[in-house]
Amino acid sequence: MLRVEQASAQIDGVTVVRSATLEIAKGGTVALIGRNGAGKTSVLRSIMGFLKLTGGRVTFDGGDLRDVPSHRRPFLGIGYAPEDRRLNGSFTLEENLRFPGEVMQLSAAELRRRMELVYGVLPELHAMRTRPAAGLSGGQGKMVALGRALVAGSRVILLDEPFQGLAPVLAQRYGAALRELRQVDRELGLLITESNPSLLRSFADEIYVIERGETSRQDALPDSSLADSDLH
């Protein structure tokens, strides 16, 4: 479904993605594991078109995304939850969730369906839907960012370090929401980046490790000892 093929990208003349290759199949969950600064976020930004490729390509259903502007990629069904959440603090929680669907001019029925999916997977957001986003905790903001990505992306969701900074209880709740999502929508593809491989042990079907912008496919997630010593 979505393929990154020998992709390279630069920031201010510095190569941050080097011939990276990975694939997200329909209904698959892919983990992209790497140290801070290894290039995880840059790969996601390349997929979304925020970083211009200097080599290789990103394809979706076989079509090259090179000429698809970043703001049009959600229309293909690609949702993105950045690490820093980027919520509009002057909006309510629900207004933040609805915003991408309204920008995409989804029909009322489709937007309602996607909102029902979000509230079904994350029922605590429904209870807080009228709360100003500026008053949310960091963990709550992560949940809203996941919900917003689900409104924008109906086929593939990119989650950048979703567990980073979460207290253990919230990390468990986030993980439970992802497991529920897998049960509710078995065709949705997920790409999740993390620096701690143990957090994705129960999720990933495919595993890639990234180092200095280069990816390599793994048969299994690294041991938790590697997460503790090398990936923090």
Side-chain angles (χ1 to χ4, degrees), residues 132-183:
L136 299 176
S137 69
Q140 291 166 342
K142 289 269 190 179
M143 298 288 188
V144 177
L146 170 59
R148 186 180 56 187
L150 287 171
V151 171
S154 58
R155 302 188 61 197
V156 178
I157 301 296
L158 314 179
L159 303 176
D160 194 10
E161 299 260 19
F163 295 96
Q164 187 178 62
L166 293 184
V169 171
L170 278 176
Q172 291 176 7
R173 177 64 196 102
Y174 198 106
L178 292 182
R179 285 189 288 272
E180 176 67 16
L181 178 60
R182 283 254 91 12
Q183 294 299 314

Side-chain angles (χ1 to χ4, degrees), residues 96-214:
N96 271 280
L97 291 175
R98 294 176 60 89
F99 182 70
E102 292 172 348
V103 170
M104 295 164 64
Q105 297 184 325
L106 298 177
S107 69
E110 179 61 16
L111 181 55
R112 182 169 58 252
R113 185 191 72 80
R114 296 191 191 191
M115 291 293 293
E116 288 173 353
L117 170 64
V118 171
Y119 287 144
V121 173
L122 297 162
E124 58 266 56
L125 296 188
H126 186 266
M128 298 186 295
R129 64 190 183 279
T130 60
R131 185 179 300 182
L136 299 176
S137 69
Q140 291 166 342
K142 289 269 190 179
M143 298 288 188
V144 177
L146 170 59
R148 186 180 56 187
L150 287 171
V151 171
S154 58
R155 302 188 61 197
V156 178
I157 301 296
L158 314 179
L159 303 176
D160 194 10
E161 299 260 19
F163 295 96
Q164 187 178 62
L166 293 184
V169 171
L170 278 176
Q172 291 176 7
R173 177 64 196 102
Y174 198 106
L178 292 182
R179 285 189 288 272
E180 176 67 16
L181 178 60
R182 283 254 91 12
Q183 294 299 314
V184 172
D185 190 343
R186 295 182 179 273
E187 295 190 349
L188 184 70
L190 297 176
L191 173 57
I192 309 173
T193 72
E194 251 303 328
S195 58
N196 186 342
S198 65
L199 293 172
L200 301 180
R201 197 168 300 280
S202 63
F203 300 113
D205 304 315
E206 302 282 344
I207 305 105
Y208 294 84
V209 170
I210 186 167
E211 180 68 31
R212 298 183 65 185
E214 298 183 47

